[in-house]
Every structure is written in C-alpha cells, then in structure tokens.
Amino acid sequence: MHGLVAPVLLDGDLPAWLVLGCDEFKQVTSRPLQFTRDSGQWITFRRAGAGRFPAVAGVAAPAECAFVDGAEHARLRGAVTDSLEQFALRGTRCYTVR
C-alpha cells in the first residue's frame, strides 16, 4: 500500500506518480517549480522520447493550459476563464448538484 500518492507505470512503462489525495493534489498543482506540468521538463519522458508513450501523447502538446507552467499557463488559462464567464455559475452549480 502506498497511501494517497503511489508510483505507477503508464503505457510503455513510463514511471509516474498517481496523486489521489485532495491535499496532496493541491500541493502538487500549486508548486510548478517543483512539480512542472511541462512534459518537456520530465527527465524520463525526455530521455525516452514522447513517441514511445502513446497513452500520454497529449501531454507533449504545449498548447493546453494543463501541461504548461508560468506565463504561458496564465495566458491559456485566461482564455478558458474568460470563455467560462459567459455561463451563469448558479445555474451551472444547480445543474451539477442535481
């Protein structure tokens, strides 16, 4: 047993960490210098080459806010946030709860 953070092997034997705990997830996602989203910075991923891991090919595309850090993350997230502001939050919340 590993608890709320466990080592896993993704398709192609890419070693990764599975973060299950909410507090642990917040810690990982709030420390971009320690836990980067940029797959270009992942040592094992870089050494082996992105093409070797078909299940994670999407993380190699830097045009998505979930997989970049810093100013680029802020820029892309801003576009997402701006587009979501057109929805009524109360209505969305009620629909989701229902």
Side-chain angles (χ1 to χ4, degrees), residues 18-82:
L18 177 61
V19 181
L20 297 171
C22 186
D23 291 336
E24 291 76 9
F25 182 78
K26 287 178 185 177
Q27 183 178 4
V28 167
T29 57
S30 67
R31 295 182 176 181
L33 293 177
Q34 186 177 5
F35 304 104
T36 182
R37 297 174 176 148
D38 180 357
S39 62
Q41 301 298 315
W42 301 344
I43 294 169
T44 304
F45 197 67
R46 265 194 344 233
R47 285 183 188 157
R52 181 169 165 226
F53 306 108
V56 292
V59 301
E64 190 173 324
C65 65
F67 303 116
V68 293
D69 294 317
E72 183 68 357
H73 174 76
R75 183 183 74 79
L76 293 169
R77 182 171 173 168
V80 172
T81 302
D82 290 347

